[in-house]
Amino acid sequence: LLDDDSDSDGDGVLDANDNCPNEGGEVVDANGCPVLGLGFIINEVHYDPAANLPGDANGDGTRSPLEDEFIEFFNSGPDLDISGYMVFDTDALLNSSPRHTFPAGTLVPINSAIVLFGGGMPTGSFGGSLTQTASGGTLNLSNAGDLLTLQDAAGTTILTFDISPLSNNPDESYTRDPDLSGGFVQHSTLTAANGSLFSPGTKLDGTSF
């Protein structure tokens, strides 16, 4: 019989109410899942979509060198309201003209991702992650090197990401290995990716965060 008072991972949340009954941590959310303490990070970047349909990262049935670019952000907690946050590349920052401004009501839950595509009509589940398309019409990430900058609504820089060390035109994304905490490597080179070129909204193996 199930012991209603059991707490397998010792995190203070009973198994009956724990969405992560075997994953304890120093800090957990109300559902018993660990708060990773990484903040708001970039987990995957796709600046060089492959030719033809293999490059259709947004799943809308059309490959576009601009619309299928994406940035996958991850929020390790707590729930984060990014309304008014702005995404720039190098040129956009110089011109004070963001590639994207997150609209009012954009709330990224704890331990969840949001994927920002360059454009198109993102089609698919994307692991249940939030998706948006660039409000400026494109992300316009340069294959020859670029600097991503995320600012909050007050213009304070929250994070930066230098694409330049990864600029070898791979026809696929760069993702963290392991997800969230590792360094960036080409997506298809990872055994867990099973040859896939990208994984917007999911872990590199295609499973949900």
Side-chain angles (χ1 to χ4, degrees), residues 41-189:
I41 64 169
I42 291 175
N43 188 61
E44 186 176 353
V45 175
H46 191 32
Y47 67 82
D48 184 32
N52 303 317
L53 279 181
D56 180 24
N58 64 16
D60 64 1
T62 302
R63 183 270 182 184
S64 166
L66 295 178
E67 293 180 353
D68 288 305
E69 293 182 335
F70 69 80
I71 309 167
E72 178 187 80
F73 298 95
F74 184 84
N75 176 37
S76 68
D79 293 357
L80 181 64
D81 186 346
I82 59 171
S83 304
Y85 279 36
M86 299 167 285
V87 176
F88 300 85
D89 74 337
T90 300
D91 291 339
L93 189 62
L94 288 173
N95 295 312
S96 300
S97 179
R99 298 295 184 190
H100 181 65
T101 301
F102 290 97
T106 304
L107 182 69
V108 187
I110 184 174
N111 292 342
S112 298
I114 181 169
V115 184
L116 175 60
F117 288 99
M121 297 288 292
T123 303
S125 66
F126 301 105
S129 297
L130 300 173
T131 61
Q132 293 184 9
T133 57
S135 59
T138 180
L139 293 174
N140 199 35
L141 304 178
S142 173
N143 291 14
D146 217 335
L147 180 68
L148 295 175
T149 300
L150 177 71
Q151 294 183 354
D152 66 16
T156 301
T157 296
I158 303 301
L159 62 82
T160 60
F161 181 82
D162 189 359
I163 292 177
S164 299
L166 311 178
S167 298
N168 63 342
N169 304 331
D171 294 333
E172 61 183 304
S173 75
Y174 276 89
T175 187
R176 291 184 185 269
D177 178 39
D179 280 293
L180 310 181
S181 60
F184 284 89
V185 294
Q186 289 179 212
H187 199 284
S188 70
T189 65

